Amino acid sequence: MHTVAVVVVPPVMSFDVTIPEMVLGAAEADGGPAYELLLCAAEPGRPLETVGGLDVVAPHGLDAVRGADSVIVVGSGGRTGIERPVLDALRAAEGTGKRVAAICTGAFVLGEAGLLDGRRATTHWGLTGDLARRFPAAKVVPDVLYVTDGTVLTSAGAAAGIELCLHLIREDHGAAVAAGAARLTVAAPPRPAGQVQRLEDPLPAGPDVSLAETRAWAVRRLGEPLTLADLARHARVSTRTLTRRFHAETGYSPLQWLLHQRIDRARELLEGTALPMEQVARRCGLGSADSLRLHFVRRLGVTPSAYRSASRRARPVPSGGPRTPGLPASSR
């Protein structure tokens, strides 16, 4: 079981504290829980200052960080003067190669610890300017969901923290386990890190306007040569209207979104089947092994073969492979 120390730095949003437990706690691998979570603070056992009205008490001290496999920092409100024991614990964790992540304003704690120097990082879109001014050695990336730079990860607020935790699950246990955790928490399957934080119209005007049904229809047909016209025909709108609404709801054009879904399907097939590359490419709609390789290298920085070799879940399976579920796409 992978142990995660969740370091709470007040003031903290009550919801942010619950995100790692809610998402990582829903992940199951090899027939049991995939993670053990330890809630830690510089002053364990005492109520911590929160935003949201709920009391938060961390039962563990910072000693728990030393024995953890990964660390997630929540809270701080972007304040200065973070307690030295917290900063020392984070420096020591990163120094021993542990993965250190931050949700929302936790990025400011990593900055105070010097862990963002020379690294790409992000935080809530309203605070990225402050992050860049306070930590000029960091390469602040505004308006993305989360950023990974080596063993240090940062995310925007609230829902982006969920995306970050789903990304951690996918990296540790594969796309299928991450998708299972997403279903249990009634979250969307993990979205790409570079998706924008702010959408033009994140809440559709009504169910008759949302393209969720069309996206779910497309996910069930990833192996088919879908075109922009096919999507527009299913949604019963013009291609121009489809493109505008698609971008408003997902942050992507229809064909960009479709490509991301196909790559994610390919990841599931590479992790959970022994299918040849040509068959993987056909089943996810990428056409050929060469096309699969091209898109994998562009998006993930590795070849499909290297990804399969590194995947914990890659193992021989009966011919035909396991069931590949048609996961509903995000309606956000």
Side-chain angles (χ1 to χ4, degrees), residues 134-221:
R134 283 182 51 187
F135 308 108
K139 303 171 184 177
V140 177
V141 185
D143 213 21
V144 295
L145 291 176
Y146 58 90
V147 170
T148 66
D149 193 323
T151 57
V152 175
L153 304 90
T154 50
S155 82
I162 296 174
E163 304 286 353
L164 175 63
C165 288
L166 289 172
H167 169 76
L168 297 179
I169 297 171
R170 184 169 59 190
E171 292 300 303
D172 291 340
H173 299 287
V177 174
R183 286 194 296 271
L184 286 174
T185 55
V186 199
R191 292 182 289 174
Q195 181 161 325
V196 295
Q197 294 182 33
R198 296 171 293 171
L199 303 181
E200 295 175 8
D201 184 17
L203 296 177
D208 58 321
V209 175
S210 172
L211 296 172
E213 285 190 17
T214 295
R215 292 197 296 274
W217 175 83
V219 166
R220 293 193 296 269
R221 293 165 175 79

Side-chain angles (χ1 to χ4, degrees), residues 46-303:
R46 298 182 58 180
L48 303 171
E49 181 185 354
T50 62
V51 179
L54 299 178
D55 291 336
V56 172
V57 176
H60 300 279
L62 297 174
D63 287 348
V65 174
R66 287 200 297 269
D69 300 299
S70 295
V71 182
I72 298 177
V73 180
V74 295
S76 85
R79 67 177 172 89
T80 58
I82 303 300
E83 294 75 9
R84 186 178 182 86
V86 172
L87 302 180
D88 288 343
L90 295 176
R91 293 184 189 115
E94 190 273 338
T96 57
K98 293 180 182 180
R99 184 172 57 189
V100 181
I103 293 175
C104 197
T105 59
F108 286 85
V109 183
L110 301 192
E112 292 246 356
L115 303 191
L116 300 186
D117 292 354
R119 284 192 167 103
R120 299 169 65 250
T122 194
T123 188
H124 187 282
W125 61 266
L127 297 172
T128 51
D130 292 341
L131 189 69
R133 282 190 293 272
R134 283 182 51 187
F135 308 108
K139 303 171 184 177
V140 177
V141 185
D143 213 21
V144 295
L145 291 176
Y146 58 90
V147 170
T148 66
D149 193 323
T151 57
V152 175
L153 304 90
T154 50
S155 82
I162 296 174
E163 304 286 353
L164 175 63
C165 288
L166 289 172
H167 169 76
L168 297 179
I169 297 171
R170 184 169 59 190
E171 292 300 303
D172 291 340
H173 299 287
V177 174
R183 286 194 296 271
L184 286 174
T185 55
V186 199
R191 292 182 289 174
Q195 181 161 325
V196 295
Q197 294 182 33
R198 296 171 293 171
L199 303 181
E200 295 175 8
D201 184 17
L203 296 177
D208 58 321
V209 175
S210 172
L211 296 172
E213 285 190 17
T214 295
R215 292 197 296 274
W217 175 83
V219 166
R220 293 193 296 269
R221 293 165 175 79
L222 291 177
E224 301 174 15
L226 298 175
T227 66
L228 187 63
D230 293 331
L231 296 171
R233 191 177 304 112
H234 182 272
R236 296 184 177 87
V237 296
S238 68
T239 55
R240 182 176 180 180
T241 298
L242 178 88
T243 300
R244 176 176 56 81
R245 291 182 179 173
F246 231 95
H247 193 276
E249 293 184 26
T250 71
Y252 288 100
S253 73
L255 296 183
Q256 286 175 328
W257 175 88
L258 192 60
L259 176 59
H260 284 305
Q261 302 305 309
R262 284 177 164 152
I263 294 173
D264 283 345
R265 176 61 55 79
R267 291 176 71 156
E268 291 184 13
L269 292 172
L270 290 170
E271 292 168 8
T273 78
L275 292 171
M277 294 300 171
E278 288 288 347
Q279 290 189 37
V280 171
R282 285 197 296 271
R283 288 197 182 192
C284 66
L286 290 175
S288 68
D290 287 342
S291 177
L292 174 67
R293 178 187 173 89
L294 174 66
H295 289 298
F296 246 67
V297 171
R298 281 181 177 174
R299 177 173 165 186
L300 303 177
V302 297
T303 65

